[in-house]
Amino acid sequence: MQRPRLVVVSEDPPRLEELTDELRRRYEPDYQVVSMASASDALARLAGLRQARAEAALVIADERLAQMPAVGFLARAHELHPGAKRVLLSNRSDWSPTHTAVGAVAQGQIDYYLLGPWAAGRHPGTGRGFHFEHHLGLYRAVNEFLASWEESREPSMPAFRIVGQAHSPRAHRLRDVLSRIGVPYQFLADDSAQGQRLLRETGMEGADLPVASFYDGTVLADPSTADLLGTLGFRTTVEPAACDVVIAGGGPAGMAAAVYAASEGLGTTVLDPMPGGQAGTSPLIRNYPGFPHGVAGEEVTFRLLEQAWLFGANIVVAPAAGLRASGPDRIITTGDGAAVTARAVIIATGATWRRLGIPGLEALVGAGVYYGGPVAEARACQDQDVFVIGAGNSAGQAAISLARYAASVTLLVRGLGLHDTMSQYLITQIGKTTNIAVRPATEIIDGGGRGSLQTLTLRHRQTGATEIMPASALFVMIGTEPHTQWLADSVARDSQGFILTGPDLHTAGQAHRWPLERPPFLLETSVPGVFAAGDVRHQSVKRVATAIGEGALAVQLLHQYVQAEQQS
């Protein structure tokens, strides 16, 4: 089997030699490092690799190429090897807010950049290059680039292999939950040779689809989300013992609260039927602080889950179904009627995308119509015509991710444009992506298909003109509705169902529901000891970093609540 290539291009001989030596020392024998001294020679080599069906994982180009601009070279390299990550090699001394890399990243012309020189000094063994210790920054960056490239490929050792119908809502549900928490899987169509072979090997011919085969030999026929995650070791039923805090919701806010609560020694139980939240469906979060190259939503949620678990949080795959107070106890019931008693509760159940309410499309949810990002379905959109409806950052991220696979991506915007609702870096990149079209003042009024989505009917909101368009997939991100139906009237909510907290109880005319003389803490609901964090809260900022911050703050306020109770 041929090793993937790391291609390095520089017309500066010492710079080329030093970087090549360091990459070979660290990454061979897993990758073959190809060193080229000119852009034309590198393009010829890349063309030869393509003809030989050899993969290029990274193409690293020195910004100081003479034959052609480095960004232009990387664009031509991308045409030859679309899956390779494009890296611009720059000098720290040249760095400024107007540097080429800033615009190239924003416009989607490159994937990453490397800053050099890394450090002074010579390698003690060879007398050349930089000492290994000084290259930790280089290795850390290249490791990140290679990990991203590996994740974009079909996993070689998936945790699950799933056999199902290509447009089955049940199969989509399994792919979705695994994608949200970053568990590698392989999907095989039931009518493919591989799918048929796996069914025979597992003795599941004729079983209800989808079939999920776990790497340890466990095989599940048409499993529920709880069945699937139970195979991974998640608990699916709550324990009867009381705990210090129950957290309803396993997205960024809930898991951040779990990390801080469990790390501080609090007995912590997290309830969520599908951990990961909306963030887990985001292909790439570019504006998350501390990740200059962006970070996949599934990586954020997986790391939070793992961190909370390592601190001892009890994560249960079950929905919160009710909340009540009984003296000092706060009690949450689950979908199966079980109950968890705690001293305090943090509600972080988040929000879901608002439904279109079009019967023909609602009948195809999971079969070409999807609410949320395309993490689980992007590869399945290869060479197809797909649509995204929405004007926020999530819609922009989805369109850019889909453009890597789809023949065309059409972004439908009900308003007159994107500038009032989407970050500029996304608008710029969308404008530079040739297979993304933006259609403002446009809405969907109908759609349908036999077994899967085939057409959408669009209407221009100003002229009233309608048009029927062929469509293989639709991703809907048009506003959110909070997951608070389960609360009934147990805590005060606004007219849209978002939870009122702190001073919002007064401004919304719900202050009469607060039973104590002291004012409610900032994230405290109308029930003392019950807090809300993240997107489920009234007027929350819809950002992953903000949700994580509120989850952490809720734990601090919980301590203040306990202290106040002890003093009263």
Side-chain angles (χ1 to χ4, degrees):
M1 182 178 179
Q2 297 190 69
R3 290 174 291 165
R5 269 51 168 197
L6 309 184
V7 181
V8 184
V9 186
S10 176
E11 296 170 2
D12 181 344
R15 186 181 182 90
L16 180 62
E17 181 182 16
E18 288 164 353
L19 182 56
T20 301
D21 285 349
E22 290 298 335
L23 292 176
R24 283 175 176 162
R25 183 176 297 111
R26 183 63 177 256
Y27 296 104
E28 288 188 341
D30 295 322
Y31 300 89
Q32 181 178 339
V33 180
V34 178
S35 174
M36 306 302 296
S38 74
S40 59
D41 289 346
L43 289 173
R45 184 65 178 272
L46 287 166
L49 291 174
R50 177 175 178 172
Q51 188 173 5
R53 299 184 180 276
E55 290 185 288
L58 301 182
V59 180
I60 303 173
D62 194 333
E63 66 177 349
R64 297 177 178 179
L65 295 179
Q67 288 185 333
M68 65 180 69
V71 173
F73 162 77
L74 288 171
R76 293 179 63 181
H78 182 65
E79 294 173 359
L80 293 168
H81 292 268
K85 297 300 180 182
R86 301 158 294 173
V87 184
L88 187 68
L89 180 59
S90 305
N91 284 329
R92 293 181 190 274
S93 59
D94 297 335
W95 197 254
S96 73
T98 59
H99 190 279
T100 301
V102 176
V105 169
Q107 296 172 16
Q109 296 172 310
I110 66 174
D111 299 299
Y112 305 106
Y113 58 85
L114 277 173
L115 293 179
W118 298 274
R122 314 300 290 177
H123 192 278
T126 64
R128 300 180 303 175
F130 294 121
H131 192 284
F132 170 83
E133 292 179 2
H134 300 296
H135 267 284
L136 293 179
L138 168 66
Y139 295 147
R140 186 181 299 114
V142 173
N143 287 345
E144 180 182 339
F145 306 160
L146 290 173
S148 178
W149 177 74
E150 291 283 359
E151 289 168 1
S152 69
R153 307 165 73 209
E154 193 76 20
S156 57
M157 297 185 64
F160 281 98
R161 289 184 294 168
I162 300 172
V163 181
Q165 296 176 338
H167 298 290
S168 162
R170 293 197 297 272
H172 166 70
R173 171 175 48 81
L174 301 186
R175 297 196 301 269
D176 187 35
V177 67
L178 294 176
S179 296
R180 286 172 185 256
I181 58 175
V183 175
Y185 67 89
Q186 181 183 31
F187 178 73
L188 305 172
D190 65 319
D191 56 359
S192 68
Q194 286 181 297
Q196 290 292 319
R197 183 167 57 251
L198 181 60
L199 291 175
R200 287 194 303 270
E201 292 173 352
T202 56
M204 299 299 283
E205 290 178 292
D208 291 337
L209 296 177
V211 166
S213 175
F214 195 45
Y215 76 93
D216 70 351
T218 302
V219 183
L220 305 172
D222 193 17
S224 66
T225 298
D227 293 335
L228 193 75
L229 295 183
T231 305
L232 289 169
F234 284 89
R235 294 177 178 173
T236 58
T237 57
V238 297
E239 297 178 348
C243 60
D244 294 308
V245 57
V246 175
I247 300 168
M255 295 315 303
V259 167
Y260 281 94
S263 69
E264 293 168 13
L266 298 178
T268 304
T269 296
V270 181
L271 302 176
D272 196 313
M274 188 180 290
Q278 278 193 37
T281 69
S282 179
L284 185 68
I285 305 171
R286 275 285 315 280
N287 59 354
Y288 188 68
F291 291 84
H293 303 123
V295 60
E298 64 185 54
E299 182 175 353
V300 174
T301 56
F302 173 78
R303 287 175 178 242
L304 284 168
L305 279 166
E306 183 179 31
Q307 194 172 16
W309 175 72
L310 287 171
F311 277 123
N314 179 26
I315 302 170
V316 183
V317 181
L323 168 68
R324 70 179 189 274
S326 177
D329 294 332
R330 303 294 176 260
I331 303 167
I332 282 189
T333 55
T334 61
D336 61 1
V340 189
T341 300
R343 300 166 68 186
V345 166
I346 298 174
I347 302 171
T349 43
T352 188
W353 296 109
R354 188 172 297 127
R355 311 290 286 204
L356 288 172
I358 299 172
L361 295 179
E362 292 299 319
L364 296 174
V365 172
V369 177
Y370 308 103
Y371 285 90
V375 172
E377 302 297 334
R379 289 193 186 96
C381 295
Q382 186 75 43
D383 300 326
Q384 297 181 353
D385 298 314
V386 303
F387 289 74
V388 177
I389 180 169
N393 280 4
S394 295
Q397 292 162 354
I400 292 168
S401 175
L402 287 163
R404 296 171 51 201
Y405 305 93
S408 70
V409 180
T410 303
L411 183 59
L412 305 175
V413 181
R414 291 170 56 87
L416 298 180
L418 299 172
H419 289 278
D420 293 336
T421 54
M422 188 179 292
S423 295
Q424 184 60 46
Y425 78 90
L426 288 169
I427 296 173
T428 301
Q429 190 167 352
I430 287 170
K432 295 291 183 178
T433 306
T434 57
N435 62 334
I436 298 180
V438 180
R439 296 189 53 161
T442 303
E443 61 186 355
I444 299 174
I445 60 172
D446 202 0
R450 293 187 176 182
S452 64
L453 180 68
Q454 294 173 328
T455 63
L456 291 173
T457 303
L458 311 181
R459 179 173 63 194
H460 194 279
R461 302 188 72 204
Q462 293 180 325
T463 66
T466 62
E467 182 180 5
I468 298 176
M469 300 281 290
S472 298
L474 170 66
F475 297 87
V476 184
M477 284 162 274
I478 56 169
T480 57
E481 297 176 346
H483 280 301
T484 56
Q485 301 88 345
W486 62 280
L487 289 167
D489 194 40
S490 57
V491 299
R493 296 181 287 161
D494 66 15
S495 59
Q496 295 179 308
F498 291 93
I499 298 174
L500 297 166
T501 58
D504 290 335
L505 286 166
H506 177 76
T507 56
Q510 296 291 320
H512 63 278
R513 297 191 58 173
W514 178 250
L516 303 180
E517 291 185 6
R518 69 164 176 86
F521 297 119
L522 182 63
L523 301 182
E524 199 167 18
T525 71
S526 58
V527 178
V530 176
F531 302 85
D535 290 358
V536 75
R537 197 175 60 81
H538 173 73
Q539 292 189 336
S540 63
V541 178
K542 304 301 188 288
R543 291 287 187 271
V544 175
T546 306
I548 289 174
E550 287 193 5
L553 177 59
V555 176
Q556 178 62 33
L557 298 175
L558 184 156
H559 287 300
Q560 294 182 26
Y561 161 74
V562 172
Q563 185 177 15
E565 287 295 294
Q566 291 174 343
Q567 293 174 351
S568 63

